[in-house]
Amino acid sequence: MQMFDTIAAISTANGEGGIGIVRISGDRALEIADKIFSAKNKKSMKDIESHSVTYGNIVDGDIIVDEVLTTVLKSPRSYTTEDMVEINCHGGFLVTHKVLETVLKYGARAAEKGEFTKRAFMNGRIDLTQAEAVIDLITAKTEKSISVSVDQLRGDLREQISHLKKLLLDVAAHVNVVIDYPEEGIEEPIPEALINNLKDVHNASNTLIKSYDKGKKIKEGIKTAIVGRPNVGKSSLLNALLKEERAIVTHIPGTTRDIIEEVINLNGIPLVLVDTAGIRKTEDIVENIGVEKSKDMIEKADMILFVTDSSMEEIKEDLEIYEKIKDKNVIGILNKSDLTKKLNENSFENIKNWVSISAKNSKGIVEMEDKIYSYIVGNEIENSSEKMVITNIRHKTALEKTKESIENIFETIESGYPMDLVAVDLREALDSLSEITGEISTEDLLDHVFKNFCVGK
Ligand SMILES: Nc1nc2c(ncn2[C@@H]2O[C@H](COP(=O)(O)OP(=O)(O)OP(=O)(O)O)[C@@H](O)[C@H]2O)c(=O)[nH]1
Ligand SMILES: [Mg+2]
């Protein structure tokens, strides 16, 4: 195990709560805790059984800082695998900070973001994909993203990657023998079984790469743009879905100018709803920027809710917007169903899914949600039956490199080039896989992974 200094941080959320937890980790954790913790049973940390809870006071010399419970977690059975002490103190903002200050005063260093998890990684308890799953789990917005993160945290992706590495290592072993001991100067071809190894890795990488789109949607949500001409009720629709007055609604066309984003949980699928400025030609500089953003959002969105005012006949602006969106994933919304219908949705012939609502009166909202849900599931924008999905662009990039290296190998073999070339690409394929699990890592990469963590995790 590598040696690090001893770190400490508040691990509970900032603010007032019933309890606050200060964590200490490192080879001096017990020694520092002994200096500031006076146990009711008078025991010192090394005599206290691991994973047991002890009552006492945090003291700074003669001053009692707080009345606490401590848990000692002795190496290697802890989150970081180092000696750890967790202090459960009273949850006030000031109290927890006082306890932390005392810990720091007696020799610990304030932990950086994600440093506890980073140590779990550096000390080999988890790989990088599992560390990344920790942050995904903390920030998960729905049940589905929790379950994907839990799978990854359990090591499913780690196992899959090491399986692929093993397949490649078998090939590498053969190739190296062929290079080192060529039979009468002629290189023996790679046997069928090992060629199949390469094919397996290629296919598995490909499947994982393809799963990324799905994984990204599970993790980040399905970007759903609410699009239409001014005044049709886009912002009213957003508010109705959120069940709160989030966006400004007025009778004046051109009310919304900026992009408004909010997440809702639709039967376990996160929908990132994006309200946009009504699209029309305008001389107003600010509104025009908004219109450009709306057009941009049409390109970026996974799905579009095309909002129309059903109490009016379709006009030029509706049709112009339709031209921009007709080949995308679109659900047509006939808003203002409380008024007499004049719009003919057949003018928008590519759009097959329509739903009538009155955003203002919150009528038809449940039906609209059902429609959106079945559209998403039916169109496999999201499909829960997929076994393993990757949710991280870093993994996807590395798998693409792996796949490319293997394709190079096939080319080399086909053209009858020497095995040395195969060996180079094999090395690269293996390295790309090792980057995913963090067996090969740089300080930059680790900074990048852990910068999204909170302090104390
Ligand atoms: N009768 C009726 N009026 C509605 C309905 N939904 C919205 N409105 C009205 O239509 C007007 C425009 O609503 P908004 O939600 O601001 O429309 P918008 O599409 O966001 O408009 P911009 O932001 O200007 O593009 C407001 O006066 C709303 O009260 C509805 O279901 N029925
Ligand atoms: Mg609006």
Side-chain angles (χ1 to χ4, degrees), residues 342-356:
K342 294 219 179 106
L343 186 115
N344 178 9
E345 60 264 41
N346 295 330
S347 312
F348 313 101
E349 60 169 329
N350 277 14
I351 303 177
K352 301 286 179 244
N353 288 284
W354 288 92
V355 55
S356 252

Side-chain angles (χ1 to χ4, degrees), residues 230-236 249-256 278 335-336 338-339 358-360:
N231 230 31
V232 290
K234 298 179 295 301
S235 301
S236 306
V249 168
T250 74
H251 65 281
I252 304 161
T255 302
T256 306
N335 189 32
K336 310 199 184 181
D338 51 300
L339 307 173
S358 170
K360 189 172 157 185

Side-chain angles (χ1 to χ4, degrees), residues 340-385:
T340 313
K341 187 175 173 215
K342 294 219 179 106
L343 186 115
N344 178 9
E345 60 264 41
N346 295 330
S347 312
F348 313 101
E349 60 169 329
N350 277 14
I351 303 177
K352 301 286 179 244
N353 288 284
W354 288 92
V355 55
S356 252
I357 64 161
S358 170
K360 189 172 157 185
N361 305 323
S362 284
K363 287 269 158 55
I365 301 302
V366 174
E367 289 77 3
M368 176 172 70
E369 287 172 345
D370 289 348
K371 194 94 180 184
I372 297 173
Y373 181 77
S374 41
Y375 185 86
I376 291 170
V377 176
N379 276 277
E380 303 206 0
I381 293 181
E382 201 265 3
N383 181 347
S384 51
S385 67

Side-chain angles (χ1 to χ4, degrees), residues 302-404:
D302 301 309
M303 187 171 71
I304 287 166
L305 302 180
F306 174 49
V307 187
T308 62
D309 179 343
S310 65
S311 71
M312 291 172 68
E313 280 177 21
E314 54 280 15
I315 59 172
K316 199 170 111 251
E317 271 124 348
D318 292 311
L319 293 162
E320 279 172 6
I321 297 170
Y322 167 71
E323 285 303 317
K324 292 197 198 345
I325 61 171
K326 65 179 183 192
D327 298 322
K328 311 210 171 267
N329 293 316
V330 181
I331 295 179
I333 311 288
L334 299 161
N335 189 32
K336 310 199 184 181
S337 65
D338 51 300
L339 307 173
T340 313
K341 187 175 173 215
K342 294 219 179 106
L343 186 115
N344 178 9
E345 60 264 41
N346 295 330
S347 312
F348 313 101
E349 60 169 329
N350 277 14
I351 303 177
K352 301 286 179 244
N353 288 284
W354 288 92
V355 55
S356 252
I357 64 161
S358 170
K360 189 172 157 185
N361 305 323
S362 284
K363 287 269 158 55
I365 301 302
V366 174
E367 289 77 3
M368 176 172 70
E369 287 172 345
D370 289 348
K371 194 94 180 184
I372 297 173
Y373 181 77
S374 41
Y375 185 86
I376 291 170
V377 176
N379 276 277
E380 303 206 0
I381 293 181
E382 201 265 3
N383 181 347
S384 51
S385 67
E386 190 77 36
K387 271 217 176 68
M388 191 186 295
V389 294
I390 56 166
T391 57
N392 196 310
I393 186 77
R394 193 180 76 76
H395 304 165
K396 184 183 177 220
T397 313
L399 286 162
E400 278 166 345
K401 281 199 276 173
T402 308
K403 189 179 150 203
E404 207 182 295

Side-chain angles (χ1 to χ4, degrees), residues 261-309:
E261 252 190 48
E262 288 291 334
V263 181
I264 62 164
N265 179 344
L266 188 67
N267 304 335
I269 302 173
L271 278 200
V272 183
L273 293 169
V274 188
D275 183 19
T276 64
I279 298 176
R280 65 167 171 183
K281 292 215 166 54
T282 168
E283 298 297 316
D284 185 303
I285 295 174
V286 180
E287 188 185 351
N288 204 30
I289 296 173
V291 170
E292 287 309 312
K293 281 193 184 181
S294 305
K295 290 180 183 163
D296 201 37
M297 194 47 70
I298 290 176
E299 299 310 313
K300 285 192 196 147
D302 301 309
M303 187 171 71
I304 287 166
L305 302 180
F306 174 49
V307 187
T308 62
D309 179 343

